[in-house]
Structure formats: structure tokens, C-alpha cells
Amino acid sequence: MITTILFDMDGVITNTEKYHFESWQEAFKLADIDITKNNYHEHVQARNHQQAISAVIGSNDKKIIELISQTKRQVYKERINKHVDVYQDTMNFIKDVKQSKLKLAVVSASSMAKEVLDKAGLLGYFDLVIEGTKDNNLRNKPYPDLYLHAMALLESQPEETLIIEDSLSGIKAGIKSGASVIGVERDKLDDFEHKRCTVVPKITTDLVGELI
């Protein structure tokens, strides 16, 4: 029986993945690098800043890494301060399941998850929000650490937990955690298949209700 639902944020709840990509594009210009979406998904998405920047520029130079990292944060903050788009299918679903006794949490690689959710008017819907790995000394997705940490804080077992993700790294993290996983197709799952992951075009209460 499912008692807990853990949501990724960017690409599942908020349409802010585009802001991350645009912010990284601006930041990497400091190193004369024009990052493509393929490079972004392969080397940057869901990784901490130091790992991501080092992978793209091929260097561990602390000064340039910090400069690129600060620029990325600044540009991203400017974007979310202007507007935060919310996926309506997820919003409808959250409102429906919030009326039940299910525990709801956001598990995001973003260190600004609470701020984004607050600007979108959604922070109050969740019992817990995990913001990245920095303060917890955990490995990021595709490792399951963040999800297992959330389950421990919510006193939930993997077999009682449903994870909703949109990226391959997030889905892999969810599967490794032992939970059931729903992958929301936001144009980047490439026909991903796994016996513990159901890929759907959008989130509906009826579909998730069957799993619960």
C-alpha cells in the first residue's frame, strides 16, 4: 500500500528545467563554451555544480568553477523571480491527493527548491522538501541517496513509496531506492522501460489511484 509520494520538482511540478538550461548557457559563456541540450542532459542535469562544470570545461580550476557557478545561480534566480510555470496536470493531482492521508514531499537536486515552490504558491502542500545534497553530504541522482533520505525522515519504507520523476537520472535513482516509479514524459525519456517504472504522458489521479 502506498503511503508516501515523492516528487521531483523541475520538469514534474514546475516547468523550470528550461530556466536551468538557459542559466547554464549564460554561465558557460564565461568559458567560451556553447552548451547544447545533449551536453546539458549528459553532464549537467541533476549533478552538483562542481562536478557539472568540471565535466563540461575539462578543468578543476576553482576560480572559473566558482565564477560559472555564481553566474548560473544569479541568472536562474532572475528567471524564477519573474515567473514560475506550473504543470497543470501535476497541480491538479497534488490538490486531489492532498485531501488523503498520503505524505507528500519534494526531492529536488535544486538548492533553491523551497524558494521556487514558494513563488509558485505550492510550498504549503508538502510535508517535506529536500533541497539538493550540499547540507546532507549525500550523492545526487542517479544515486538513490536523496530518496532514501526523504523516506527515512518521513518514516516510510520503499515498498510504501511512489516516486514521480521526469528525467532518466531521477528515474534510475527512484528504481535503485526500491520504490515504485512513475516517469512523466516531458520529451526526454526516449521510450524508457523498466518493470518498476510506468511512463505516462501526464499525471492523472485515476492512474496514480490504481497504483495506490
Side-chain angles (χ1 to χ4, degrees):
M1 179 180 176
I2 298 298
T3 63
T4 304
I5 302 179
L6 308 180
F7 298 82
D8 178 44
M9 184 182 73
D10 297 303
V12 172
I13 299 172
T14 59
N15 188 12
T16 41
E17 196 67 62
K18 60 183 179 183
Y19 295 159
H20 284 292
F21 176 60
E22 292 168 358
S23 302
W24 280 118
Q25 277 188 311
E26 289 294 317
F28 279 118
K29 287 179 181 178
L30 297 172
D32 294 322
I33 293 175
D34 183 16
I35 189 170
T36 65
K37 280 196 173 182
N38 285 339
N39 285 337
Y40 169 73
H41 290 310
E42 182 177 357
H43 298 298
V44 179
Q45 187 181 35
R47 300 179 75 175
N48 70 47
H49 281 201
Q50 182 173 348
Q51 291 176 338
I53 296 167
S54 296
V56 173
I57 68 175
S59 169
N60 290 315
D61 186 309
K62 291 184 179 180
K63 289 185 178 179
I64 188 64
I65 288 175
E66 183 60 26
L67 181 60
I68 292 173
S69 178
Q70 288 179 351
T71 302
K72 191 274 174 182
R73 289 191 179 94
Q74 179 182 344
V75 177
Y76 179 72
K77 192 175 183 67
E78 290 171 357
R79 296 288 197 280
I80 65 170
N81 281 340
K82 290 180 180 178
H83 183 65
V84 175
D85 284 325
V86 175
Y87 286 107
Q88 195 58 49
D89 60 327
T90 309
M91 188 67 253
N92 293 340
F93 171 70
I94 289 171
K95 288 180 177 179
D96 284 343
V97 296
K98 185 62 178 176
Q99 299 176 32
S100 69
K101 295 182 180 180
L102 294 172
K103 290 175 278 189
L104 306 182
V106 169
V107 180
S108 175
S110 173
S111 61
M112 298 175 64
K114 289 181 182 178
E115 185 173 349
V116 173
L117 291 168
D118 188 42
K119 289 183 181 299
L122 303 177
L123 189 57
Y125 283 93
F126 301 101
D127 302 292
L128 173 71
V129 177
I130 301 291
E131 297 181 293
T133 61
K134 184 176 181 180
D135 295 333
N136 302 310
N137 196 29
L138 302 172
R139 296 172 298 176
N140 219 327
K141 306 168 188 179
Y143 295 101
D145 300 27
L146 287 174
Y147 282 121
L148 291 172
H149 181 58
M151 290 181 213
L153 292 176
L154 293 170
E155 299 182 340
S156 301
Q157 298 301 314
E159 60 270 19
E160 301 171 336
T161 304
L162 175 66
I163 291 171
I164 302 180
E165 270 281 359
D166 73 304
S167 69
L168 285 175
S169 61
I171 288 173
K172 290 175 181 177
I175 291 171
K176 289 175 184 176
S177 76
S180 298
V181 182
I182 287 180
V184 187
E185 178 56 74
R186 308 288 196 202
D187 301 322
K188 55 187 174 185
L189 291 184
D190 297 326
D191 300 321
F192 179 83
E193 292 184 7
H194 191 281
K195 62 182 180 181
R196 280 215 325 277
C197 177
T198 302
V199 177
V200 298
K202 62 180 181 179
I203 304 172
T204 66
T205 305
D206 289 342
L207 172 65
V208 180
E210 294 177 8
L211 295 174
I212 296 172

